[in-house]
Amino acid sequence: MNADSAFQEIARTVQVLAFDTFGTVVDWHGSIVREMQQHHPRVDADAFARAWRAGYQPAMARVMSGAQGWTLIDALHRQILDEILPRFGLAHLGEEERVHLNRVWHRLSPWPDCVAGLTRLKRRYTITTLSNGNIGLLTHMAKRAGLPWDCILSAEVFRAYKPDPATYLGVARVFELPPQQVMLVAAHHDDLAGARACGLRTAYIERPLEFGAGHAKDVSPRPGNDLHARDLLDLADQLGA
């Protein structure tokens, strides 16, 4: 099957596009950097953003291993925040300031292509989040950023964090579809590998600046993914949306 035929077959069979959010749809690093520069200008904003994000996988691993009970991402973000504040000279922040800072994850800005790209894709497909973020966080983020989701699905719905198969297969179950009619769209190869192992289609989105301009990612194509796109507008072009 040539490339054009493959695109046509995917466009014809896929009905639901499920999107990773942090890094794929929204710019967590740039958003946190701007927040820190505005409110805490003496802090190394780049290092702070990356340190906060670095605690994300270990925190979820504690939950997935059973070492910690089921916990929403908002609460995990707060645990990580409390751990790193002393490292950056911010141990003095009070409860109100910590709550506000923790909710920066609700205020993340989308990448420039996302609203237009999602709007185009929505015309042809059902578009939903599939994020480890909790429902309240994702809803606030979408409302603020103008993200036109048809549906918001979260690890909270399935009480499992990606890459648990319950998340990927859960999307197919929600929409009463076989897994191959669902495509995960993400900027992270481990997420896509988890989806692919469950029978979902996969599309990789290049986000070379996810970790900031000083920490560019390798976004070269890898085998296994059905599609590889520069951004969501490019994905819409490939899918004929």
Side-chain angles (χ1 to χ4, degrees):
M1 183 182 295
N2 62 38
D4 288 343
S5 298
F7 288 166
Q8 291 170 7
E9 192 268 338
I10 291 168
R12 180 178 57 81
T13 58
V14 167
Q15 295 189 34
V16 172
L17 302 178
F19 290 79
D20 172 66
T21 55
F22 300 125
T24 302
V25 175
V26 293
D27 176 13
W28 61 265
H29 180 274
S31 300
I32 294 172
V33 165
R34 289 188 290 274
E35 179 92 7
M36 296 306 292
Q37 288 173 339
Q38 179 179 355
H39 297 289
H40 306 284
R42 296 184 180 180
V43 171
D44 182 337
D46 167 67
F48 185 89
R50 290 186 294 109
W52 202 352
R53 182 65 171 179
Y56 181 71
Q57 291 294 342
M60 288 192 299
R62 291 195 299 270
V63 175
M64 290 188 286
S65 71
Q68 179 173 334
W70 174 253
T71 309
L72 298 182
I73 282 293
D74 267 340
L76 293 181
H77 280 154
R78 175 59 191 270
Q79 290 173 12
I80 302 162
L81 177 64
D82 288 341
E83 290 171 6
I84 68 171
L85 285 176
R87 195 190 317 171
F88 291 91
L90 295 174
H92 63 279
L93 291 188
E95 178 63 15
E96 185 175 343
E97 291 173 296
R98 292 179 186 226
V99 168
H100 178 79
L101 181 53
N102 196 54
R103 285 177 69 88
V104 70
W105 294 93
H106 295 222
R107 302 189 294 271
L108 302 182
S109 297
W111 296 106
D113 57 278
C114 283
V115 173
L118 289 173
T119 299
R120 284 178 55 188
L121 290 163
K122 180 185 174 81
R123 294 172 189 153
R124 181 162 185 167
Y125 302 95
T126 296
I127 61 171
T128 181
T129 60
L130 181 58
S131 173
N132 287 330
N134 44 284
I135 295 170
L137 181 159
L138 295 169
T139 302
H140 292 151
M141 178 195 295
K143 190 168 184 65
R144 177 183 178 276
L147 302 172
W149 304 119
D150 291 309
C151 177
I152 290 178
L153 292 177
S154 156
E156 181 180 355
V157 175
F158 309 114
R159 295 184 70 83
Y161 285 122
K162 295 184 295 179
D164 191 306
T167 58
Y168 308 114
L169 295 175
V171 179
R173 187 178 70 251
V174 164
F175 292 104
E176 299 182 314
L177 294 172
Q180 63 268 25
Q181 292 185 7
V182 178
M183 172 175 277
L184 180 70
V185 182
H188 310 112
H189 288 293
D190 56 347
D191 198 0
L192 294 166
R196 193 160 51 248
C198 292
L200 276 66
R201 300 284 201 169
T202 55
Y204 180 74
I205 306 299
E206 296 181 2
R207 296 297 184 202
L209 302 182
E210 179 182 356
F211 295 90
H215 314 278
K217 284 170 55 178
D218 176 6
V219 295
S220 54
R222 293 191 189 178
N225 292 320
D226 294 290
L227 300 176
H228 181 104
R230 181 180 62 258
D231 57 25
L232 297 191
L233 293 171
D234 184 27
L235 180 65
D237 287 341
Q238 293 186 35
L239 289 174

